[in-house]
Amino acid sequence: LLIFVVGVVLGVPFPAALARLSARPGSGLIGRAWAANGFGSVVGPVLATILAIDLGFQNVLLIAAAVYLLAFVSFDWQAGGEAESAVRS
């Protein structure tokens, strides 16, 4: 059950963000989203291993949570900014 919850929390944001990006007219950000996902998939585990050796696993988990939160906040801000500008036009 715990693995299911973690899988949903980690697995839903990217497809949901792609769906949200594809709904925008004239959005060329889908390729960049895939590139960022690929970069994170390659660099993330290596960096997490190096940081875990130096900082410990608990600190790496806190850093990872902060990065996920930053990504969520920045995506939501970006989507809101474009929506607001479309309403004003």
Side-chain angles (χ1 to χ4, degrees):
L1 185 61
L2 180 63
I3 293 174
F4 174 77
V5 173
V6 172
V8 169
V9 170
L10 296 178
V12 169
F14 184 67
L18 283 180
R20 194 170 178 179
L21 286 174
S22 66
R24 294 184 192 173
S27 176
L29 296 175
I30 294 177
R32 290 182 184 178
W34 276 106
N37 186 54
F39 178 81
S41 296
V42 171
V43 174
V46 175
L47 188 60
T49 302
I50 292 168
L51 289 176
I53 292 169
D54 288 340
L55 304 176
F57 289 112
Q58 185 172 3
N59 289 331
V60 171
L61 289 175
L62 291 173
I63 292 169
V67 169
Y68 265 88
L69 183 62
L70 179 66
F72 175 76
V73 170
S74 66
F75 180 78
D76 198 35
W77 171 80
Q78 184 181 19
E82 287 183 11
E84 287 177 16
S85 64
V87 170
R88 290 182 193 160
S89 301

